[in-house]
Amino acid sequence: VDENGSRLAGGGAYFTSATGDLVIVSNGEIDSDLGLEGLRLTTLNGGDINVTWTGHIDNSSGDGVRVIGTGDINMIVSSVTAQDTGIHASLSGSGEIDITAAGDIVAQNGPGVNVVAGAASAGGISLDLRGVASGDTGVNIINQGTGGTVVRATGPISGVMGMRLTNEAGSGEIFVDVGDVSGIDSGV
C-alpha cells in the first residue's frame, strides 16, 4: 500500500506472485522510459490480481499496463498513456477479468485496451472505461471462455478500428454501452 503518492521514474513497476494473490493499492505515478511496461502484474499458480492504482501511468517506451493472470483479474486504474498498448490483460485460468479506467487511455502504436480470456475462463470480461484513443484498435477483446463480455464507456473510443469484440463459440453474450466509437477503417 502506497499512501504517499510516490512517483516512480525509469524502468516501471513489476510485481509477480508465484503462489498466492497479488494485492496492490497505490496513488503514486509511474513515468517510465526504460521498461517494456510501465506497470506489470503477474500471477503464476491461480492467484487473484486485485489492484487499485489511482496515479497516472505513462510509458514512453512500451506498454502502459500488462496483466497476466491465472485467477481473477480485478483492476482499477486512473489514466494511462503508452507508446505501445495502453492496457493489456490476459487470463489463462478459470477466473474473470474486470477492469475500470477512470481516466483516458492513450496508446500510440498498439491497442488502447487489449483483453484475452482463455478457454478455461468462466467469469467473463467486464470493462468500464472513460475514453480510449489508439493508433491501432481502440478496444480489442477475445473471449474464449464461457462467460460473457461487457464493455461500457462514457467517453469516445477511437482508433484505426474503434472496437473489435470476439466471443468464441460457447462464450456468453456481448453487451456494449458506449456513446461514440470511430475508426479510420471501421468503427466496430
Side-chain angles (χ1 to χ4, degrees):
V1 176
D2 173 15
E3 297 178 348
N4 297 320
S6 302
R7 182 175 179 272
L8 177 65
Y14 294 59
F15 301 92
T16 301
S17 175
T19 58
D21 294 345
L22 188 58
V23 179
I24 299 170
V25 177
S26 177
N27 62 357
E29 293 185 1
I30 296 175
D31 185 10
S32 175
D33 58 1
L34 300 173
L36 296 176
E37 294 93 18
L39 176 62
R40 182 181 176 104
L41 310 164
T42 307
T43 56
L44 302 177
N45 291 306
D48 295 339
I49 296 174
N50 294 292
V51 173
T52 300
W53 200 286
T54 57
H56 176 69
I57 299 170
D58 177 69
N59 186 5
S60 61
S61 62
D63 296 341
V65 179
R66 180 168 288 266
V67 183
I68 301 170
T70 51
D72 290 341
I73 296 173
N74 297 293
M75 183 172 65
I76 299 171
V77 296
S78 181
S79 55
V80 178
T81 305
Q83 176 70 26
D84 296 325
T85 300
I87 296 174
H88 171 86
S90 62
L91 175 64
S92 61
S94 61
E96 67 177 4
I97 299 173
D98 189 344
I99 298 173
T100 299
D104 291 334
I105 300 167
V106 178
Q108 293 183 24
N109 298 317
V113 179
N114 188 59
V115 177
V116 179
S121 172
I125 298 168
S126 178
L127 301 180
D128 286 290
L129 309 171
R130 185 173 167 188
V132 179
S134 170
D136 192 282
T137 302
V139 175
N140 183 57
I141 295 175
I142 300 172
N143 187 349
Q144 300 170 331
T146 58
T149 299
V150 176
V151 180
R152 296 182 180 91
T154 58
I157 296 174
S158 64
V160 175
M161 177 183 288
M163 293 176 56
R164 181 172 60 190
L165 310 176
T166 305
N167 271 17
E168 302 285 345
S171 295
E173 296 180 349
I174 296 175
F175 175 81
V176 178
D177 181 10
V178 299
D180 182 16
V181 178
S182 63
I184 296 169
D185 290 342
S186 61
V188 179

